[in-house]
Amino acid sequence: MKKNTVTEQLLFDLLKKNFGYDHFRNNQKDIITTICDGNDALVIMPTGGGKSLCFQLPAITLEGTTLVISPLIALMKDQVDALRANGIAAAYYNSTQPFEETQQVLENLNAGKLDLIYVAPESLQLLDAHLTAITINLIAIDEAHCISSWGHDFRPAYTQLGYLKKRFPETPLIALTATADRSTQDDIAEQLGIAHAQKFISSFDRPNLYLDVRPGQKRNEQILAFLDKHPFESGIIYCLSRKSTESLAEKLRSKGHTAQAYHAGMSPEQRSKVQEDFINDTTPIIVATIAFGMGIDKSNVRWVIHYNMPKNLEGYYQEIGRAGRDGLPAHTVLFYSYADTIQLRKFIDQSSNVDYQTAKLDRMQQYAEALSCRRKVLINYFGEFLQEDCGNCDVCKNAPEYFDGTVLTQKVLSGVARIKEQEAMGTVIDVLRGSQNAQVYDKGYQHIKTYGAIKDVSWRDLQQYVIQMINQGLLEIRFRESGRLLLTPLANDVLFKGKKIQLAKLAQPKAEPIVKERKPKKPKGTLFEKLRDLRAELARDANVPAYIIFSDASLKDMEDQEPQTVKEFLEIQGVGQVKSDKYAADFLKIIKAHLHKPKPKKPSKTFEETRSFIEQGLSLEEIAEARQLTVSTIYNHLIRLHEEGIEIDFYQFIQPVEIDQINAATSKLEEPEKLKSYFDFFKEDIPYWKIKLALFLSKKTEKN
Ligand code: ADP
Ligand code: ZN
């Protein structure tokens, strides 16, 4: 029996009321409908895609209790905390709980008071006796890949889960995971006894992650410059060794950043302290070995940096995937150097399974050296095909220019030929550049014809060009033979048959050299920062991680929409009834105070600065970029300057057709008084500030 007939409207109502969301993401709605109709489902959705909602919403929609199997105790606790913060009755049951707590949980379970009960597979047997008397409305198996030995994270305790479908044949079962290739998917479904379950497979792509690969020179300087541009944001830097995590963390602290190292050599207590401080936003920056991040559900990690190249794309994708789970833009940086790949190949050579791992490393390297859209390379690796370039990677943002590199290439190839294909890249470059080092002289390379043939290109640049030649299949590296370079058949076409070669011009590393002693900056006082401070305070009081109160996405939405009443506050994404009751007053107070700051007599310095940029004819986006403020703030400056009586040509920031479009939308909206209606109407393509500006200008012309 169901609490209600499950209509689409009911699902939307419950979504807003309990979770504060207006829309379903990906295929959430289809999945939820399938389950509410009593069917089984297998869900493959990338990290941050919104898997939890697929069973949490049915849990409160259907009569009875949902049983959730989840392997990681830390995650279980997080999810239960988040559900409770939304006023949903949830609890977990595992081996770490004190006796009294377990008793309380069981009592509530038996009394039918729980909408969801989370349990670790190891503890399921103990709980089983208590499941007989109550209605189980749904069984959810999270991280379902753990059941399959084909998957990458096999957990023996998962294999017994096959009994669930036999024990509750009428109860829908949903299995969810972020990673499972074809054979793993089939294995999961078979083992769980849901071979006929409908499959829901979302794209692997995470379009909000900016993919950035940079030359691995002056990494520390690049990182410091990066951090200057991302103050107060949470992020993770992955390093290969324990020692380097510690020295880099120390270095960052000496420059005024709050950063901690994390690695397997620390005691469990130290590690959980570091992890907790990260989750609670006390320590924004973690410098870690790959051991960090498993089982962390922090949704507002804004960036991930790889100090060294990972061994394969699976690991890389999993690690960058820890950024931007809230769906907001997040930045990822991979430092790439040729020396790193040599190092990794040495590791691999000592391991078993050399060919397999070498193939994976090759793909990783191709990604790092790609001269076309990186997301295409990445997504393609995972078996999907992207039609268009993504526009959100460094290559798309900064498409390389090509030049006729035929002569340069010929010189390199003939250099390799003349030293009889006996040397690795470093020596080849030395010879071509006419280096006088001992190794070159000892072998008499100063006498060959191409010695010093390419003096006018720097060592690093020449290295990059040679790498391009390797990638174009003109040269081959024999890794097993000290990495010597060999000519391929294609090389002969260039040397003897007039084949032309295009090379990409090199982007110089942006080693932004602003690395003086730096004091931590004062918060700039944007509304977002004020809201974040309030959130931190509330989180401390309630002793929960900050994102349990509200996600960054919610704060961002508050900043954009500037709600001033409880009704408007309820429109913010992530604000459901319970959170509104609890927090509306506090947040509205901050927002109102921010909007009604007493006006200084004269436009203050910040407005003047914006004004001078406007006079230079910059766009609002450019001004925002230059001033490191949000576009919305710059827009507020415009209005403010206008109110001060300063003449502003608003029409330089908006096209007449945009104003027309926005005005035309008004009559089609059910609630035209809400900015969000417009925002949604235009599929989030038109930013809030532009909507405000258009409406402002229309009103102004009406008055005149
Ligand atoms: P996953 O388990 O797939 O990694 P989560 O279930 O943790 O992802 O969801 C990631 C984030 O997206 C969470 O902050 C969640 O609250 C948010 N989210 C989920 N569904 C929606 C939705 N329909 N609208 C807005 N945000 C959502
Ligand atoms: Zn791209």
Side-chain angles (χ1 to χ4, degrees), residues 159-201:
T159 48
Q160 44 148 323
L161 298 180
Y163 95 98
L164 282 167
K165 193 68 204 177
K166 296 187 196 114
R167 179 142 162 31
F168 302 99
E170 301 298 317
T171 308
L173 189 148
I174 179 174
L176 313 100
T177 173
T179 42
D181 59 18
R182 257 313 226 318
S183 41
T184 313
Q185 289 167 22
D186 293 342
D187 197 24
I188 293 172
E190 195 161 312
Q191 291 204 49
L192 289 175
I194 54 165
H196 300 290
Q198 197 169 335
K199 278 189 190 174
F200 296 90
I201 300 173

Side-chain angles (χ1 to χ4, degrees), residues 460-472:
R460 293 221 176 272
D461 285 1
L462 188 52
Q463 183 191 34
Q464 295 297 319
Y465 291 132
V466 175
I467 290 172
Q468 289 187 35
M469 293 169 205
I470 295 168
N471 286 339
Q472 292 195 28

Side-chain angles (χ1 to χ4, degrees), residues 117 155 160 166 178 214 243 257 322 329 341 359-360 363 374 432 490 538 617 636 643 701 703:
I117 174 95
R155 306 253 304 205
Q160 44 148 323
K166 296 187 196 114
R214 302 186 185 183
K243 230 176 81 197
H257 295 281
R322 292 177 182 139
T341 59
K360 296 218 158 197
R363 300 295 297 270
R374 284 193 211 281
L432 289 166
L490 204 57
L538 294 169
N636 286 337
E643 285 169 2
T701 32
K703 267 192 230 151

Side-chain angles (χ1 to χ4, degrees), residues 211 372-376 386 388-397:
L211 307 172
S372 55
C373 176
R374 284 193 211 281
R375 188 166 263 100
K376 275 192 172 165
L386 211 64
E388 307 270 329
D389 284 354
C390 77
N392 198 31
C393 72
D394 60 315
V395 183
C396 282
K397 283 263 157 78

Side-chain angles (χ1 to χ4, degrees), residues 335-355:
F335 286 114
Y336 171 67
S337 81
Y338 204 70
D340 280 357
T341 59
I342 304 284
Q343 182 71 34
L344 285 169
R345 286 190 198 272
K346 280 195 189 134
F347 284 146
I348 288 179
D349 273 346
Q350 293 154 11
S351 73
S352 58
N353 224 340
V354 176
D355 291 341

